[in-house]
């Protein structure tokens, strides 16, 4: 009897403690989304190159072990953040382009630019991460550019086709110009100078509409002809 009693006393306290630990571990286990939010916050503050797993773990109230378990490496975590933000902004802009299909030509262009800046208001951290270091072909800003430019060029070709004008590669050039202006204004407002989003948006809209009004069909055809001979 004393021996059995000793086993009971030795075993029973450990069982509830283990159960509590398991429950606490399950309840406090962070989701991928929560870990990505923490990583995004750090990257937006210090940049992707300077962000460390320790910084992200501290921001997310978790551990480096958990981050590695979820994403494999620091680069894997950074890539996951960028992929998520790129997909979110691209989906937002594609929805705006779809909604603008029934609008008049100038209204459509204005709405598209305004939608880009509206996203910057709603998701400033994601916008900042995607626009950082845009000059390099391998960084997020270039990927954003590559995702949006073809859709803008497609719409430009359709716009000119409605007027009985056929344009080819020049639509890509014009799309690059329009998107580049808006992203550059946004970059300077959100990251470089800290200017107000509203003022930056107004400037981008005005510049985009001015370009669309000023470009002549003969100029687009000249670009198409020059590119066709290469």
């Amino acid at each position: 009897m004393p021996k059995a009693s000793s086993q009971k006393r030795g075993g029973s306290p450990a069982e509830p403690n283990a159960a509590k630990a398991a429950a606490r571990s399950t309840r406090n286990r962070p989701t991928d989304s929560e870990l990505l939010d923490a990583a995004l916050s750090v990257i937006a503050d210090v940049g992707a190159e300077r962000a460390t797993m320790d910084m992200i773990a501290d921001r997310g109230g978790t551990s480096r072990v958990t981050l590695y378990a979820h994403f494999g490496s620091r680069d894997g975590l950074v890539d996951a953040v960028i992929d998520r933000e790129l997909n979110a902004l691209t989906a937002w802009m594609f929805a705006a382009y779809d909604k603008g299909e029934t609008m008049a030509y100038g209204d459509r262009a204005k709405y598209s630019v305004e939608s880009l800046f509206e996203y910057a208001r709603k998701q400033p951290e994601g916008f900042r991460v995607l626009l950082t270091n845009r000059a390099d072909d391998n960084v997020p800003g270039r990927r954003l550019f590559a995702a949006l430019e073809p859709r803008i060029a497609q719409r430009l070709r359709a716009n000119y086709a409605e007027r009985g004008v056929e344009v080819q590669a020049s639509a890509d050039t014009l799309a690059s110009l329009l998107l580049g202006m808006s992203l550059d204004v946004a970059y300077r407002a959100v990251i470089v100078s800290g200017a107000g989003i509203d003022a930056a948006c107004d400037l981008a809209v005005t510049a985009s509409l001015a370009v669309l009004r000023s470009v002549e069909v003969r100029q687009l055809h000249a670009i198409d002809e020059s590119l066709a001979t290469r």
Side-chain angles (χ1 to χ4, degrees):
M1 288 296 294
K3 186 175 182 179
S5 175
S6 174
Q7 289 176 343
K8 185 176 181 180
R9 284 195 303 269
S12 58
E15 292 173 0
N17 287 342
K20 288 179 181 178
R24 183 168 56 252
S25 175
T26 301
R27 184 171 59 251
N28 294 335
R29 186 177 302 150
T31 64
D32 279 3
S33 180
E34 291 169 337
L35 296 176
L36 290 172
D37 287 343
L40 173 64
S41 178
V42 172
I43 294 171
D45 283 349
V46 305
E49 294 301 321
R50 295 178 59 192
T52 67
M53 292 298 246
D54 285 331
M55 291 178 184
I56 296 168
D58 184 63
R59 188 74 58 94
T62 187
S63 67
R64 295 171 71 253
V65 172
T66 298
L67 293 176
Y68 281 111
H70 280 247
F71 300 101
S73 67
R74 193 203 76 95
D75 289 345
L77 175 52
V78 171
D79 288 344
V81 169
I82 292 171
D83 286 344
R84 185 184 72 166
E85 299 309 311
L86 180 66
N87 290 337
L89 179 49
T90 301
W92 173 278
M93 291 306 300
F94 281 3
Y97 297 153
D98 289 341
K99 186 175 180 180
E101 284 294 327
T102 59
M103 298 179 183
Y105 183 55
D107 292 339
R108 185 189 304 139
K110 181 174 182 289
Y111 180 71
S112 296
V113 174
E114 289 175 341
S115 295
L116 178 68
F117 283 84
E118 181 62 20
Y119 190 88
R121 292 187 188 93
K122 292 180 177 294
Q123 302 292 340
E125 289 183 334
F127 200 69
R128 173 181 289 273
V129 167
L130 290 176
L131 289 186
T132 301
N133 301 319
R134 292 171 306 116
D136 191 319
D137 286 341
N138 296 318
V139 299
R142 291 303 308 170
R143 292 177 61 192
L144 174 62
F145 203 93
L148 298 182
E149 183 189 297
R151 182 67 184 272
I152 298 172
Q154 178 186 18
R155 184 62 256 179
L156 288 169
R157 290 189 182 92
N159 289 340
Y160 282 102
E162 291 169 3
R163 297 157 51 187
V165 176
E166 182 179 353
V167 294
Q168 300 296 331
S170 57
D172 300 308
T173 302
L174 184 54
S176 177
L177 174 62
L178 293 169
L179 180 58
M181 284 194 310
S182 291
L183 288 179
D184 190 67
V185 172
Y187 175 79
R188 294 179 186 281
V190 175
I191 297 173
V192 179
S193 66
I197 289 290
D198 290 340
C201 181
D202 287 344
L203 175 59
V205 167
T206 300
S208 296
L209 294 178
V211 167
L212 290 172
R213 286 193 296 265
S214 301
V215 170
E216 299 179 9
V217 172
R218 66 174 181 81
Q219 295 172 317
L220 298 176
H221 284 168
I223 291 175
D224 286 338
E225 291 171 7
S226 65
L227 291 175
T229 59
R230 292 188 177 184

